[in-house]
Amino acid sequence: MTRTRNPDSESESESKPSSSSSSSTGMKLIVPLQGVVQGRGGILLGSLIPCALFYFLQLYLKKRRRSNHNNHSSNPPSPSSSFPELPRTPSRSNLSSRGSITRARLSRLASTISDDDSAYYVGLNRASRDPYHKFSNPDGIIQLGLSDNTLSLDLIGDWMQKWGSGGGDDDLSINGIATYQAFDGVDELKLAMADFMRQVMGRSVHFDTSNMVLTAGATPAIEILSFCLADPGNAFLVPTPYYPGFDRDVRWRPGVDLIPVHCRSADNFNLSMTALEQAYAQARKRGVKVRGILVSNPSNPVGNMLTQDMLYNLIDFAEDKNIHLIVDEVFAGSRYGSEKFVSVAEILDSDSEYIDNRRIHIIYGLSKDLALAGFRVGVIYSFDRNVLAAARKLCRFSSISAPTQRLVTSMLSDKRFIQDYFETNRNRMRQVHDEFVDALSKLGIKCAKSSGGMFCWADMSGLIKPYSEKGELELWEKFMSIAKINITPGSACHCIEPGWFRICFTTMSLEEIPLVIERIRRVVEVCKSSS
Amino acid sequence: MGIEIEKSCVVELSNIAVSNTHGEDSPYFAGWKAYDENPYDEITNPSGVIQMGLAENQVSFDLLEKYLEEHSEATTWGKGSPTSFKENALFQDYHGLHSFRAAMAAFMEQIRGGRAKFDPKRLVITAGATAANELLTFILANPGDALLVPTPYYPGFDRDLRWRTGVKIVPIHCDSSNNFQITPEALEAAYKEAESMNTKVRGVLITNPSNPLGATIQRSVLEHILDFVTRKNIHLVSDEIYSGSVFSPSEFVSVAEILEARNYKDAERVHIVYSLSKDLGLPGFRVGTIYSYNDKVVTTARRMSSFTLISSQTQHLLASMLSDKEFTELYIKTNRERLRKRYEMMIEGLRSIGIECLKGNGGLFCWMNMSPLLEKATREGELELWNEIVHEVKLNISPGCSCHCSEPGWFRVCFANMSENTLHVALERIRNFVDKLRASRF
């Protein structure tokens, strides 16, 4: 039976509707015919006849399809809108993204990626197609699902206006930066970055440039580390809820699995070592090779910090199991609360004799702490010579653009500016955070205790019905369509308790808080009235 | 825990981390080492190793510098508005700046003399062509599958197409009997070879103009390659990174032109890679693109490009420069002319020594035939000769075996990354070496 099906359609995620229904139609024909035709040749004929009918049906359908897409315009076809990101254009009469015409197959990975419809990405897309603007689109979707920080962007803008065009001592022409540079970053930037990280993580920590590999953002940094530390099919343990992007960075191309270690609201979503031990043991029982633990500190999406004790526990755990520990500290400088931040680098610095630092790796970048997401500046910091050697070779696929390296070096070297930025930003973040969390609590929505990051981790479990992922996603949809705000549902972060949402507050000004609260109130009222 | 802990329990790394598919351990890497340890400098180190193994374009750098000096708004975001600075700094949308994509598409059209149209919405940005080729491989093939690549090919493909992807390269053998052109027989033979290894072929990857040959692929050959991939129902990736470095514009035919002539029938299996590293001599900027006629590939590639985005600052700078039609026209024309001059100087110089090169018409290098000088017409013989050239003549050139050439004795020699003086010095050294070699043989 399957011999007559077009083999290319088998692995297409969007297969022709006709082929799947034809095969089942064919099956339905065989059985009654077998009963009808008796005798020696009965079963044979009973199978052959429907096969033949089926074959001719397929031929007919193929011919019809072929004649449909012989109408071509001479302009290059514009991409279709079958995928959310691409706008529909009138000229696309011929090409489509449906499997019927795309005969040359794509890889399994490509299917995984194009099928990825997590709420995180869907939300971002919908918001970007109807973006709120105070004057030109006041009813648009307010984007609170992207952890960007615009609170202190004016300071960045001022600095760039003054120094970003060659006005200073540095020569910002292209002399010396056009040619091939070291793929893992130029020395000047590494030096500036080492010093910047020292300021951010804690004044006592010393960062060595020879332990640094610079990458085009923290996103490739995580991916490259995953490629270095684990083989496809291996796994990292990761406390939940976690940054949805990890699913992309660790799973897609490195093929490394993420095993959730569930954290509970009762613990303010702090990691429990018991849960970690259990998750590890269960993985081993299933025959999965755990290669490391991946944590973010400050945590995304909760915004809490790992205590010094917890860091020591994690290091001991990693040592005991002989696995790696990756700490993503991209939000290290985005702190507003009272909890103390301890970088794992600080512990390694002070306890270097007792701890084998080769198993510990730090991820950093400038997208959050300096709001330079567009410039693509990330860091892998590791003490393992072999990891560094491999990462250096791999970052040729993700290097920082040379003119940007020069500009950023200049910015990071302006110590006074950096200090000013951090002080101002911290105050503004604290103000907006405190006021927003307060306003939310007046609506009956409590947030987890957080001291860092750019978001509140809000408990909306009282508003969902049923108390499940389904209920949570329905609430998410209400926020999108009624309140017109994009927030991230906890299920996208693999949170085990339904009803929690990540709301980024760093793209709101103080003045905009009432507007956002008002929109949230709309949803709260709808939920209350329907219960 | 005592003071001295045993650091013997080393944490394991992945297979990828410890493998050598990155190719940096191959024998010809010794040439780079020799250069790094003793780099030539016209004044401070005139007897050092001259780097002729790096395909970098420095012949038209002055044009870029001049443009940026006269158009400082390219680096200052318009009339210096802080709003646009800060918006640019935060902009990390993987679609890329629309102005940048439009400018790239227009630039690619200009290079092809307007004979093909490019829709900016089909452009996916990547941090260099290296990332673009790898990304496409991830999308078009599963680990264990194969891409067919004509030999000789750019040594970096062994790493870019195979290392993290787990995809294999099956060579399409080309030889000097027909100037290393790709024949239908060679295509079929490569396909059959893959089949005999139980390996699924997912596509053909060509470089046009070719690296290391420095020659464009003829229209008729492109046509039959396109027919071949259509017949086998596989993909075609055309790396056109040197398209703007063809000496005479009319001699370059892009696969895009052929598709346009065919009314884009079966176009969704074709993908073009481009970059500014060679034509514009800006490899440090990390600017590459994938242009695909396949919607799903565009969408998937865009999502995957999160790992390899171009800095928004760079996009802005280049958008401004590349949309200046007057400048780009002048640049393309001048660059072609200067490269042609260099090439001819190289060819003539070698011919006067009695060394022939493949007839080339583009790129930053020539494909030199030293097989008459080999003691043994084998790979070992070639490496022996190469060793002498690197260590005694002090020229780092690339041996054909590193490009998987099936005929020993061919070498790729880059000429665009040095001054004309240095080129003369290099030619002199070759002359002295060859004269000595010939004398010692008689």
Side-chain angles (χ1 to χ4, degrees), chain B residues 322-339:
Chain B
L322 294 179
S323 356
D324 187 333
K325 286 277 161 68
E326 220 183 278
F327 167 73
T328 52
E329 217 176 284
L330 170 71
Y331 181 91
I332 293 171
K333 197 159 135 257
T334 314
N335 185 50
R336 282 189 172 132
E337 211 21 66
R338 291 181 182 178
L339 286 175

Side-chain angles (χ1 to χ4, degrees), chain A residues 4-81:
Chain A
T4 56
R5 261 176 88 181
N6 182 346
D8 293 333
S9 69
E10 280 169 357
S11 56
E12 282 291 336
S13 59
E14 298 185 297
S15 52
K16 313 177 258 289
S18 52
S19 55
S20 45
S21 57
S22 299
S23 65
S24 53
T25 318
M27 281 306 285
K28 289 189 190 123
L29 275 176
I30 290 182
V31 176
L33 271 178
Q34 271 186 325
V36 164
V37 183
Q38 306 287 333
R40 266 184 73 234
I43 291 174
L44 187 65
L45 275 178
S47 316
L48 273 182
I49 293 171
C51 274
L53 288 175
F54 179 63
Y55 175 70
F56 287 120
L57 175 69
Q58 284 284 63
L59 255 188
Y60 167 68
L61 287 171
K62 252 197 217 167
K63 278 213 182 100
R64 250 189 54 196
R65 251 180 269 120
R66 242 183 245 137
S67 66
N68 274 348
H69 57 88
N70 267 341
N71 311 319
H72 293 292
S73 67
S74 57
N75 286 323
S78 307
S80 79
S81 65

Side-chain angles (χ1 to χ4, degrees), chain B residues 301-357:
Chain B
R302 215 164 254 152
R303 288 187 177 191
M304 214 188 267
S305 68
S306 299
F307 300 108
T308 184
L309 293 175
I310 305 177
S311 160
S312 50
Q313 173 208 11
T314 304
Q315 290 187 51
H316 175 90
L317 191 153
L318 291 172
S320 183
M321 192 169 81
L322 294 179
S323 356
D324 187 333
K325 286 277 161 68
E326 220 183 278
F327 167 73
T328 52
E329 217 176 284
L330 170 71
Y331 181 91
I332 293 171
K333 197 159 135 257
T334 314
N335 185 50
R336 282 189 172 132
E337 211 21 66
R338 291 181 182 178
L339 286 175
R340 190 185 55 77
K341 241 185 91 190
R342 280 292 176 102
Y343 174 77
E344 278 169 7
M345 189 162 76
M346 192 80 208
I347 298 291
E348 276 315 305
L350 289 171
R351 187 166 288 147
S352 69
I353 307 170
I355 298 182
E356 287 301 318
C357 294

